[in-house]
Amino acid sequence: MGGLILILGVIGNVISVLMFVSPMKTFVRVVKSGSTEEFESLPYICTLLNSALWTYYGIIKPGSYLVATVNGFGVVVEIIYVALFLLFAPPFKKRRTAILLGVVDIGFFTAAVLVTYLLLHGDMRINAIGFMCSALNIIMYASPLAAMKTVVTTKSVEYMPFLLSFFFFLNGGVWTFYAVLVKDWFLGVPNGIGFVLGTLQLVLYAIYINSKPPKYLPVGRWQKEPLLPQHS
């Protein structure tokens, strides 16, 4: 059983690393163009917080070093992404990114660590951080719901990158299985939700992969507006 847990943890780490680096193409484009264009920093700000909290969780919970290592890698990657936003974003987006970074990733994370470290002990500390991590993970996994709605509305998978959906499916499935084996429900519940949502996204791909999207999307009774591709 211990060998199976280790193998699943290693596989989960590899898949999670692929998820973390999947936006690399976007940031190569940002560096080449010298601008963040219409891309937003909020997803990377939130993922940085999520990775930082899971790293802390993996450190304080005995036997969870695989959770700590992969999310530690995620922290490094997300810091690079946010730094590129601060470097290449227009002035108003730089200010907003800097404020969000200070409030969410520095302020909230520091407060969470200090409060749980100073006021809570043992299992209470682990449970408090586990609840926070699970909530953030559920929000992260729920983020493609808007894209799924757009796929159904436009009958086009252009708005939902396949690789990200595939990695959501794999990541959720592997970490759910791992969580069941080690009996870690803070890890299992959000990844179980991620596995279900990833499966639904792949089902939508199978349904709409060969569909032709409409050229116009109604925005009023008499008015139509061209569909513009969203950045991924």
Side-chain angles (χ1 to χ4, degrees), residues 27 40-52 78-79 81-83 85-86 93-106 108-109 136:
F27 285 93
E40 293 293 337
S41 61
L42 183 60
Y44 308 101
I45 296 282
C46 293
T47 305
L48 175 55
L49 174 62
N50 189 52
S51 298
E78 298 303 325
I79 287 175
Y81 292 158
V82 173
F85 260 95
L86 291 173
K93 282 192 176 182
K94 282 185 181 180
R95 288 193 296 270
R96 186 168 62 187
T97 299
I99 292 171
L100 286 172
L101 178 65
V103 173
V104 176
D105 293 323
I106 298 176
F108 182 85
F109 176 71
L136 283 171

Side-chain angles (χ1 to χ4, degrees), residues 168-190:
F168 264 41
F169 167 78
L170 284 181
N171 193 66
V174 171
W175 282 113
T176 299
F177 193 17
Y178 175 88
V180 170
L181 292 179
V182 300
K183 297 180 173 58
D184 188 336
W185 306 117
F186 292 125
L187 193 61
V189 171

Side-chain angles (χ1 to χ4, degrees), residues 76-167:
V76 174
V77 173
E78 298 303 325
I79 287 175
I80 293 172
Y81 292 158
V82 173
L84 290 174
F85 260 95
L86 291 173
L87 186 62
F88 293 108
F92 75 96
K93 282 192 176 182
K94 282 185 181 180
R95 288 193 296 270
R96 186 168 62 187
T97 299
I99 292 171
L100 286 172
L101 178 65
V103 173
V104 176
D105 293 323
I106 298 176
F108 182 85
F109 176 71
T110 301
V113 171
L114 288 177
V115 169
T116 55
Y117 183 79
L118 296 175
L119 301 182
L120 303 176
H121 303 280
D123 288 343
M124 288 186 65
R125 179 189 300 164
I126 294 171
N127 291 340
I129 294 297
F131 274 118
M132 284 187 274
C133 290
S134 295
L136 283 171
N137 241 34
I138 290 171
I139 292 171
M140 182 189 78
Y141 276 127
S143 61
L145 287 175
M148 293 169 67
K149 179 182 178 182
T150 303
V151 169
V152 175
T153 302
T154 64
K155 302 186 185 308
S156 169
V157 295
E158 176 185 7
Y159 301 89
M160 193 168 61
F162 174 77
L163 281 180
L164 189 57
S165 299
F166 184 62
F167 286 139

Side-chain angles (χ1 to χ4, degrees), residues 12-14 16-17 20 55 65-75 175:
N13 273 17
V14 172
S16 295
V17 166
F20 282 128
T55 302
Y65 58 91
L66 288 172
V67 176
T69 53
V70 70
N71 282 285
F73 174 81
V75 168
W175 282 113

